[in-house]
């Protein structure tokens, strides 16, 4: 299986933050969700992938090529969607396209025009006058019209309504089905990733806590709830993550639900953990160490 993106031991040091030994890979035809709290290093990681920042250590490969030594070659195959539009807002959609299209050897004008129709984008509309959702659609139209094999998205759906987010996920799903393309999707809205992601990479404090298949991750963890007396029982120690205490009980995450269930039986309640639950409780657990 072809790997379209690989990071190995990537480091970046700032005065007040460090990205440390970040490693993960994304294969062709899959969607990877990149999650983590604010300040975890998600945007820094994406900027390093795009060579918008210089890494201190490690290796980044796109389509088997070093992202710095072969920058122009690999960027021909990448579509990028920001949370804010990186285009000249005073220009119209058509004018901006005319500036950008010549940079891509594989630019497909008929495909771009089709996306304008599908997304209901007026080529004579000034970019600054577009709604937030339409600006995202314009970025997608640009990204999907030059033969991109990997779409990298940095918080594109924050602040957008559920209807548009659902439409965006459908667009991405169709993109992936088209010749096995791939998506790296950084977002705080983990419910979107539960619908579309194949893999989840979780960054916290500049480090990768895990990079796993989504289904394996959701099967691994469970939410556990019970009385406070259980917290005083040594049998539960080390098996509860990010404990949240209430007046009469607690909730926590666990990676050992079957063992806890056998030991405590009906004294505990086990529930399916969402990606949001997993992220919140793991971060809480990290902070309590």
């Amino acid at each position: 299986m072809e790997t379209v993106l690989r990071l190995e031991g990537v480091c970046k040091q700032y005065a007040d933050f460090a990205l440390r030994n970040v490693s993960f890979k994304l294969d062709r035809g899959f969607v990877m969700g990149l999650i983590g709290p604010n300040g975890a290093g998600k945007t820094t990681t994406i900027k390093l992938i795009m060579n918008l920042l210089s890494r201190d250590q490690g290796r980044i490969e796109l389509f088997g090529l070093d992202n710095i030594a072969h920058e122009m070659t690999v960027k021909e195959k990448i579509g990028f969607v920001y949370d804010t539009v990186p285009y000249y807002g005073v220009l119209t959609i058509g004018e901006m396209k005319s500036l950008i299209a010549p940079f891509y050897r594989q630019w497909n004008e008929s495909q771009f025009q089709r996306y304008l129709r599908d997304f209901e984008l007026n080529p004579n509309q000034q970019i600054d006058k577009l709604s937030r959702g339409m600006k995202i659609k314009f970025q997608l139209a640009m990204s999907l019209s030059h033969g991109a094999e990997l779409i990298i998205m940095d918080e594109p759906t924050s602040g957008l309504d559920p209807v548009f987010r659902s439409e965006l996920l459908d667009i991405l799903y169709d993109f992936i089905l088209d010749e096995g393309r791939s998506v790296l999707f950084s977002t705080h809205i983990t419910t979107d990733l539960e619908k579309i992601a194949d893999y989840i990479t979780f960054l916290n404090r500049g480090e990768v806590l895990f990079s796993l298949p989504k289904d394996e991750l959701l099967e691994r963890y469970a939410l556990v709830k019970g009385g406070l007396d259980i917290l005083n029982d040594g049998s539960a120690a080390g098996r509860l993550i990010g404990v949240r205490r209430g007046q009469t009980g607690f909730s926590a995450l666990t990676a050992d639900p079957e063992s806890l269930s056998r030991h405590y039986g009906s004294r505990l309640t086990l529930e399916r953990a969402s990606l949001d639950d997993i992220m919140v409780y793991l971060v809480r657990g990290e902070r309590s160490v």
Side-chain angles (χ1 to χ4, degrees):
M1 185 176 296
E2 180 188 359
T3 297
V4 300
L5 172 64
R6 184 189 303 274
L7 285 77
E8 294 181 351
V10 174
C11 300
K12 179 67 178 178
Q13 181 70 51
Y14 294 97
D16 57 353
F17 174 77
L19 201 69
R20 296 181 292 271
N21 197 33
V22 170
S23 301
F24 63 86
K25 71 182 183 73
L26 172 61
D27 292 332
R28 180 175 292 279
F30 293 98
V31 178
M32 174 172 285
L34 186 62
I35 66 172
N38 289 332
K42 301 186 300 297
T43 296
T44 298
T45 298
I46 288 175
K47 287 183 177 179
L48 289 168
I49 292 169
M50 297 297 293
N51 197 28
L52 299 175
L53 292 173
S54 298
R55 60 185 182 266
D56 297 333
Q57 297 179 42
R59 183 168 180 80
I60 300 175
E61 291 184 351
L62 289 155
F63 310 100
L65 300 173
D66 183 85
N67 74 318
I68 297 176
H70 301 276
E71 182 174 9
M72 297 301 293
T73 299
V74 298
K75 283 188 174 179
E76 282 272 352
K77 299 181 179 182
I78 298 174
F80 197 95
V81 179
Y82 292 84
D83 59 341
T84 56
V85 176
Y87 301 134
Y88 299 121
V90 297
L91 299 182
T92 67
I93 286 174
E95 290 169 339
M96 194 69 238
K97 183 270 301 182
S98 296
L99 285 178
I100 298 297
F103 288 96
Y104 293 101
R105 290 174 294 178
Q106 301 298 321
W107 181 265
N108 188 323
E109 181 63 23
S110 63
Q111 191 171 55
F112 177 73
Q113 294 299 326
R114 178 171 63 83
Y115 281 122
L116 291 188
R117 292 191 297 272
D118 291 348
F119 297 166
E120 298 181 340
L121 290 166
N122 180 352
N124 298 315
Q125 179 72 50
Q126 185 179 335
I127 294 171
D128 273 346
K129 300 294 179 62
L130 297 173
S131 68
R132 175 167 169 73
M134 297 304 276
K135 288 177 180 177
I136 297 297
K137 285 185 175 182
F138 175 45
Q139 289 190 77
L140 277 172
M142 296 291 292
S143 297
L144 299 175
S145 297
H146 63 82
E149 298 175 34
L150 169 65
I151 297 290
I152 297 178
M153 311 183 77
D154 190 9
E155 297 289 350
T157 59
S158 66
L160 297 176
D161 65 77
V163 174
F164 178 82
R165 295 201 332 262
S166 178
E167 184 180 355
L168 175 61
L169 296 182
D170 289 341
I171 293 167
L172 293 179
Y173 184 73
D174 290 341
F175 168 78
I176 296 161
L177 287 179
D178 184 8
E179 301 176 6
R181 293 165 174 173
S182 307
V183 178
L184 178 66
F185 193 162
S186 171
T187 182
H188 286 97
I189 306 174
T190 55
T191 52
D192 289 347
L193 297 179
E194 290 195 27
K195 297 175 183 177
I196 195 171
D198 301 293
Y199 294 88
I200 301 293
T201 295
F202 182 19
L203 281 172
N204 190 37
R205 297 180 178 180
E207 298 183 286
V208 174
L209 293 191
F210 58 73
S211 187
L212 294 169
K214 179 194 66 181
D215 292 342
E216 177 183 330
L217 178 64
L218 293 174
E219 291 174 3
R220 173 178 298 188
Y221 291 103
L223 277 181
V224 56
K225 299 178 181 179
L228 293 176
D229 59 302
I230 292 174
L231 298 180
N232 299 320
D233 185 339
S235 299
R239 291 187 284 178
L240 300 177
I241 304 167
V243 175
R244 180 178 293 168
R245 296 172 181 262
Q247 291 185 344
T248 60
F250 76 92
S251 63
L253 192 71
T254 183
D256 196 10
E258 293 182 1
S259 176
L260 285 173
S261 180
R262 286 195 301 269
H263 187 85
Y264 293 103
S266 60
R267 295 170 63 194
L268 284 180
T269 300
L270 293 172
E271 300 176 0
R272 178 187 179 276
S274 66
L275 287 178
D276 202 41
D277 293 327
I278 293 169
M279 181 172 71
V280 169
Y281 280 92
L282 284 176
V283 170
R284 175 185 287 269
E286 286 266 301
R287 290 174 178 164
S288 66
V289 173

